[in-house]
Amino acid sequence: MKTESLSKFWKLALFCSLTIVTTANIVCVNFSRIVFPGDSSASLYYPSTSVFCNELAKIILSCVLLLYEVKSCSRLMSVLKTEVFEKWSSTLKMAVPAIVYVIQNNLSFFALGNLDPATYQVTYQLKLLTTALVMRLLLGKILTSKQWGALFVLLIGVCLVEIEKLAPQDMTAVSRQMLQTASANKKDDSVIGEERSYDSPAGSSVNVLAGIAATIGMTFCSAFAGVYFEKMVRSSPASSSGGKGLQQGAIKLSELGELWVKNIQLYLFSCISALAACLLHDGDKIAENGFFHGYNSLTVVVVLIGSAGGTATALMLKYLDNIYKNFASSMSLVLASFCSFCLTGQLYGPKFFLGSFLVCLSLFIYQSTQKTLTNKTTVGSNSANRQRNLPLPMYMPKEVISKVMEQNDVSKA
Ligand code: C5P
């Protein structure tokens, strides 16, 4: 794969890979959380332990990819020592998204304790809009009105799909289980799946408004962490200096090598927080039954797919952006529902099909505006900037864009 910039083909391949991996993740997590009637010997694994294993597997996969890049174990060790431990300030920067993800996960516990899954899922889809908002604030990325329109269409589409999927009256026994892990592509939604259902413990009061506020808080956390990571991987030394390496005497890393390093830094903190979550939420049960209680081959598959999903997400944020990442996860929600239809025979009504259509339509609209922008000007497009040899950042404030457009018009005239 050419790493300095990606061709349309590779971007499409990346988008499809993330969509497929996320779909596979949702389906596998759902099935790994089902105890079929009559299977009395079956016991479920503790979701918090699978989250920890997931983060650990992500670190191992990133190390393997880095090993492929540097070609030898000794060089790998040297890179890890320098980039992760000696340059601790750069490692510390990755604690920011990791901490935000921890906050997000804790908010999800609170939200699910106060909302029914459908309200939770639908409200969480607002992240499609908050992401665009945070990208505007942190990266200066400006969306056209057509692009905002596409995001609203996407939002309506995903909400329709989720409402149909989670409608209580339609639930079969299997789909009821699936509901519990409906957004399993998000690691801790699977955590909340089993124990954190809508049925709040008897006597506990449910505060719907607080639940909605927590879910909206989650959408901002998701947006901020994603955009922060995007900013970090796009402003890395190799990408800004054309891959000239990190420092004199250090092993030269390509853009991809740097991405794996950033991932390792992020996952280190995620691992620590995931371990803390294991002890906090399931410490007693783990002490009694063991860390790997309830694990089987499907659990291993879940962990492996989850780690592949992390790598695909990182690539997506590096070479496309957070909005495309959200498009991919929305598409995978639709595809996963389709898979559940094939596997369980659960039928969906017209809302589901209309929603699926809207999701596809929104991607089409958004993509068509990208083409128009690339042809017309340089807004928010890395490749367009390169084609025109503009020494400008990928995302520019509105004033700069209009100035550049003005200059281009003058030079053309
Ligand atoms: O819901 P949201 O889209 O914010 O979830 C993003 C997920 O992607 C998080 O679970 C996060 O751990 C994961 N991620 C990853 N590797 C990255 C960036 C995000 O595994 N480099």
Side-chain angles (χ1 to χ4, degrees):
M1 195 195 296
K2 196 174 162 231
T3 58
E4 301 308 320
S5 69
L6 285 191
S7 65
K8 269 186 194 163
F9 171 80
W10 281 112
K11 284 182 178 175
L12 182 66
L14 194 51
F15 183 87
C16 293
S17 311
L18 182 62
T19 308
I20 292 168
V21 171
T22 311
T23 307
N25 195 21
I26 296 173
V27 173
C28 289
V29 173
N30 283 333
F31 272 89
S32 72
R33 304 298 303 159
I34 294 173
V35 177
F36 289 96
D39 191 359
S40 55
S41 62
S43 51
L44 289 178
Y45 60 90
Y46 305 129
S48 63
T49 63
S50 82
V51 172
F52 173 75
C53 292
N54 206 341
E55 296 305 312
L56 199 61
K58 285 181 189 174
I59 294 193
I60 295 169
L61 182 59
S62 300
C63 286
V64 170
L65 291 165
L66 193 56
L67 176 64
Y68 178 78
E69 166 90 17
V70 297
K71 308 278 187 270
S72 81
C73 285
S74 58
R75 284 163 69 87
L76 172 70
M77 289 302 160
S78 159
V79 169
L80 288 180
K81 186 170 158 261
T82 320
E83 298 302 322
V84 180
F85 297 106
E86 285 174 6
K87 289 189 189 169
W88 56 268
S89 63
S90 123
T91 303
L92 220 54
K93 281 184 191 159
M94 295 315 286
V96 176
I99 289 169
V100 175
Y101 279 131
V102 173
I103 297 172
Q104 181 186 345
N105 293 334
N106 283 296
L107 283 176
S108 74
F109 273 86
F110 179 80
L112 255 278
N114 287 283
L115 295 177
D116 65 284
T119 311
Y120 168 81
Q121 276 298 326
V122 168
T123 313
Y124 187 59
Q125 300 314 319
L126 284 175
K127 78 170 179 172
L128 300 170
L129 303 182
T130 53
T131 301
L133 196 68
V134 174
M135 282 177 87
R136 172 74 183 91
L137 294 174
L138 294 190
L139 300 177
K141 172 154 174 107
I142 297 160
L143 296 187
T144 63
S145 46
K146 206 169 168 189
Q147 287 175 323
W148 276 108
L151 291 184
F152 273 102
V153 174
L154 178 64
L155 178 66
I156 295 167
V158 184
C159 288
L160 283 176
V161 169
E162 290 298 307
I163 288 167
E164 176 85 43
K165 211 169 67 181
L166 301 177
Q169 68 275 15
D170 294 333
M171 284 194 295
T172 62
V174 172
S175 63
R176 191 178 289 277
Q177 282 285 346
M178 295 189 115
L179 169 155
Q180 293 181 336
T181 49
S183 61
N185 57 325
K186 280 206 69 289
K187 55 187 179 189
D188 276 306
D189 290 345
S190 57
V191 175
I192 46 192
E194 191 186 11
E195 290 88 358
R196 296 280 170 162
S197 65
Y198 175 47
D199 309 318
S200 58
S204 72
S205 61
V206 169
N207 188 339
V208 175
L209 270 184
I212 288 181
T215 314
I216 291 175
M218 283 176 65
T219 67
F220 278 99
C221 287
S222 160
F224 176 80
V227 172
Y228 183 97
F229 188 84
E230 183 181 332
K231 196 175 165 83
M232 294 295 287
V233 293
R234 292 201 176 192
S235 58
S236 60
S239 39
S240 55
S241 65
K244 277 186 198 140
L246 295 153
Q247 66 179 47
Q248 275 197 334
I251 294 167
K252 191 173 144 182
L253 289 179
S254 71
E255 280 186 9
L256 273 183
E258 288 215 341
L259 183 63
W260 309 142
V261 168
K262 287 271 185 293
N263 264 358
I264 293 168
Q265 292 170 331
L266 174 73
Y267 300 148
L268 267 182
F269 291 106
S270 308
C271 256
I272 296 169
S273 65
L275 193 59
C278 285
L279 300 176
L280 268 166
H281 295 298
D282 296 316
D284 295 346
K285 287 184 262 173
I286 291 171
E288 201 181 320
N289 301 315
F291 192 86
F292 296 106
H293 170 78
Y295 273 57
N296 56 28
S297 47
L298 190 55
T299 325
V300 177
V301 172
V302 164
V303 168
L304 294 181
I305 293 181
S307 65
T311 304
T313 304
L315 283 167
M316 194 79 172
L317 297 183
K318 170 97 186 158
Y319 293 108
L320 281 121
D321 63 22
N322 268 281
I323 293 181
Y324 277 108
K325 184 208 76 177
N326 283 346
F327 267 109
S329 61
S330 300
M331 294 288 273
S332 55
L333 281 176
V334 174
L335 280 179
S337 307
F338 183 72
C339 292
S340 90
F341 161 71
C342 296
L343 294 168
T344 67
Q346 191 197 2
L347 288 173
Y348 295 120
K351 265 189 241 138
F352 175 80
F353 293 102
L354 177 64
S356 308
F357 170 74
L358 289 179
V359 169
C360 298
L361 179 72
S362 64
L363 181 58
F364 177 77
I365 299 173
Y366 191 84
Q367 187 55 24
S368 71
T369 60
Q370 287 292 100
K371 276 184 201 149
T372 320
L373 281 177
T374 310
N375 291 340
K376 268 193 191 163
T377 183
T378 60
V379 183
S381 160
N382 198 12
S383 59
N385 281 343
R386 286 205 184 106
Q387 276 165 18
R388 289 161 172 264
N389 291 325
L390 289 172
L392 289 164
M394 200 152 26
Y395 299 124
M396 295 171 282
K398 207 170 191 167
E399 311 76 56
V400 181
I401 293 165
S402 46
K403 208 157 203 160
V404 172
M405 286 170 77
E406 242 169 53
Q407 280 171 3
N408 281 345
D409 289 345
V410 170
S411 61
K412 265 187 213 157

